[in-house]
Amino acid sequence: MDKIVVKGGPALHGEVKASGAKNAALPILASSLLADGKSTYRNVPDLVDVSTMLKVLRTMGCGAERLSETAKDVCEVTVGAGITPEAPYELVKTMRASVLVLGPLVARYGRARVSLPGGCAIGARPIDQHLKGLKALGADITLTEGYVEARAERLRGATVNFDLITVTGTENVMMAAVLAKGRTVLENCAREPEVEELARVLNKMGARIEGGGTSVITIDGVDALHPVEHAILPDRIEAGTLLVAAAISGGDVLVKHAVPEHMEAVVLKLREAGCTVTTENGGVRCKAPQTLRPVDVTTTEHPGFPTDMQAQLMVLLSVAQGTSVISEHIFENRFMHVAELHRMGADITIQGPTAVVKGVPKLSGAPVMATDLRASASLILAGLRAEGRTDVQRVYHLDRGYERLELKLRSLGADIQRMKA
């Protein structure tokens, strides 16, 4: 098992490229099931979660591979005869997003058997809204032995009003509705850029979708779709993490390919903290201030501040001059990194869904353990600022969502390396 070793001190400077977005790549790969033939995707990040989705597709009988070692960001998915519409527990338990095959399978093949995802370290993440939407489209849903079994001769259009905003629920039901007979209207939809990106890809495949990226999505079903070629949009969370790395290290970094329109809430908070954030040269640049200021933030659905950036911002605020308040309203267990930050000298108090962060003059390097994907990134950020050496254990979490983060940080001047634990 690997660990990341960081020696704090160097200010980061230079340019770095944002990789493709994990949370866009996963549903887009699942959407391949909606059409026979070969689809080709570029700018696909080389991540454990992406590898898991490709494995899920291969288990069903698809051809699903990265093109070559020299073109690792290109994936091809080939769908033909003999597809087995089942996603087994052994794979789904390792990545909840595997459930995104449910909608395409029942829409295209009339049946699906997909394992329930189970628990998650950062809290309960049920799929009841996915099932509600599929039932409204006419699917017969049963739960047996830990699996969702869905059947329908052909789905039919309907109005679905989600009880709560759900990104993967919106995506799953949208993918199912593109082959349903008639019109489907999805209300209270997630508005994340990754949802809009999926709608864009489906339309390139021949779907008729309007309103992707808004709270109301209208879909007129078609009889068939065709394969597609598409480049995945840049990862706004990775880009935000790299901007925070510049800020916490006292540096000046340009994140190339970052899309400022997708990061407005994060940019706003960085500016409130005193950073100079500008759009230039096809990316977003962050220059650290002499003194970081405290900031209050509440996580919420897009276009609000993303829960996936909460841990990273918390680390930044832990060395600001003053007291900040962070309210987490998306996941109930997303403060697990706080105990590890305490080991590094941070002054953070948890009060239910709220963290009170009192800035300290310095952090100290320490052995720490990652508890989830974004927590692992936050501990590396803390190590960039801390005096001495920080060993971040269990970085397999990091590899689920960041493409060789240590190499990107090293290219900017960080003293960081991956080692065997």
Side-chain angles (χ1 to χ4, degrees):
M1 190 177 296
D2 291 349
K3 66 179 179 180
I4 299 291
V5 177
V6 190
K7 294 180 181 178
L12 304 189
H13 290 89
E15 299 180 357
V16 65
K17 175 189 169 187
S19 298
K22 171 181 84 87
N23 290 338
L26 298 178
I28 288 169
L29 289 170
S31 75
S32 305
L33 291 163
L34 291 165
D36 277 347
K38 181 172 68 178
S39 291
T40 303
Y41 306 105
R42 299 182 303 282
N43 201 35
V44 181
D46 187 12
L47 303 172
V48 171
D49 277 9
V50 172
S51 297
T52 299
M53 181 61 82
L54 293 174
K55 189 179 296 184
V56 169
L57 293 171
R58 288 196 297 271
T59 299
M60 295 177 184
C62 302
E65 301 289 349
R66 291 193 178 273
L67 201 57
S68 69
E69 285 296 319
T70 56
K72 291 196 68 136
D73 70 329
V74 180
C75 288
E76 293 181 344
V77 179
T78 304
V79 180
I83 296 298
T84 302
E86 179 172 336
Y89 173 69
E90 289 72 22
L91 292 176
V92 178
K93 72 177 181 180
T94 66
M95 185 187 69
R96 292 185 50 84
S98 304
V99 78
L100 285 164
V101 301
L102 180 60
L105 287 176
V106 70
R108 179 86 194 287
Y109 300 99
R111 62 189 180 93
R113 187 172 187 265
V114 177
S115 171
L116 287 165
C120 178
I122 58 175
R125 303 169 77 176
I127 64 167
D128 58 310
Q129 297 303 301
H130 304 230
L131 304 185
K132 172 185 175 177
L134 294 175
K135 285 180 181 178
L137 296 177
D140 179 23
I141 306 286
T142 57
L143 303 179
T144 58
E145 300 178 340
Y147 279 77
V148 177
E149 295 190 0
R151 291 183 177 272
E153 286 190 14
R154 183 179 181 183
L155 299 175
R156 57 183 182 273
T159 296
V160 179
N161 190 311
F162 293 107
D163 298 322
L164 50 85
I165 296 174
T166 162
V167 174
T168 53
T170 299
E171 292 167 339
N172 225 342
V173 180
M174 180 167 63
M175 286 189 283
V178 295
L179 293 180
K181 184 175 179 61
R183 172 168 288 189
T184 297
V185 179
L186 306 182
E187 299 173 345
N188 197 30
C189 296
R191 295 182 283 168
E192 272 72 3
E194 295 80 12
V195 175
E196 183 179 9
E197 177 85 338
L198 176 61
R200 186 179 298 116
V201 170
L202 293 171
N203 282 339
K204 287 174 70 172
M205 296 174 72
R208 298 169 61 192
I209 302 172
E210 294 183 357
T214 73
S215 60
V216 179
I217 299 175
T218 302
I219 306 152
D220 289 311
V222 297
D223 291 332
L225 299 179
H226 53 77
V228 69
E229 293 189 11
H230 185 77
I232 306 297
L233 87 172
D235 194 313
R236 60 194 172 98
I237 303 302
E238 184 204 40
T241 302
L242 291 167
L243 294 178
V244 172
I248 199 167
S249 70
D252 184 351
V253 172
L254 172 67
V255 182
K256 299 174 71 175
H257 297 180
V259 182
E261 294 80 13
H262 296 169
M263 305 173 61
E264 290 178 349
V266 172
V267 168
L268 175 63
K269 292 303 176 183
L270 286 173
R271 286 174 175 159
E272 285 183 26
C275 301
T276 301
V277 185
T278 55
T279 300
E280 55 183 82
N281 298 329
V284 178
R285 179 184 179 189
C286 180
K287 183 177 181 180
Q290 289 293 322
T291 302
L292 287 163
R293 298 193 295 261
V295 171
D296 293 344
V297 64
T298 299
T299 64
T300 186
E301 295 85 0
H302 190 81
F305 192 89
T307 181
D308 281 353
M309 281 298 302
Q310 175 258 109
Q312 299 92 308
L313 187 71
M314 180 183 287
V315 172
L316 184 69
L317 298 178
S318 72
V319 291
Q321 285 195 357
T323 299
S324 304
V325 177
I326 299 177
S327 298
E328 173 60 64
H329 288 296
I330 304 298
F331 295 122
E332 66 269 26
N333 293 336
R334 208 157 201 181
F335 287 147
M336 291 190 294
H337 48 281
V338 170
E340 301 303 302
L341 292 175
H342 284 164
R343 293 172 50 79
M344 301 181 71
D347 185 350
I348 305 169
T349 304
I350 304 299
Q351 302 172 357
T354 300
V356 179
V357 185
K358 296 181 180 179
V360 296
K362 66 176 184 178
L363 298 175
S364 300
V368 291
M369 187 169 294
T371 54
D372 61 69
L373 168 57
R374 305 308 171 184
S376 58
S378 74
L379 296 174
I380 290 172
L381 293 175
L384 294 175
R385 178 64 175 248
E387 295 182 355
R389 169 173 164 162
T390 298
D391 288 33
V392 183
Q393 308 278 354
R394 292 172 62 180
V395 293
Y396 58 83
H397 290 294
L398 185 80
D399 296 335
R400 288 187 48 236
Y402 289 93
E403 187 174 39
R404 292 179 285 277
L405 180 62
E406 73 278 7
L407 297 184
K408 293 189 176 187
L409 293 173
R410 192 186 309 160
S411 74
L412 297 170
D415 187 345
I416 182 172
Q417 58 182 318
R418 181 181 290 256
M419 301 173 61
K420 291 296 180 183

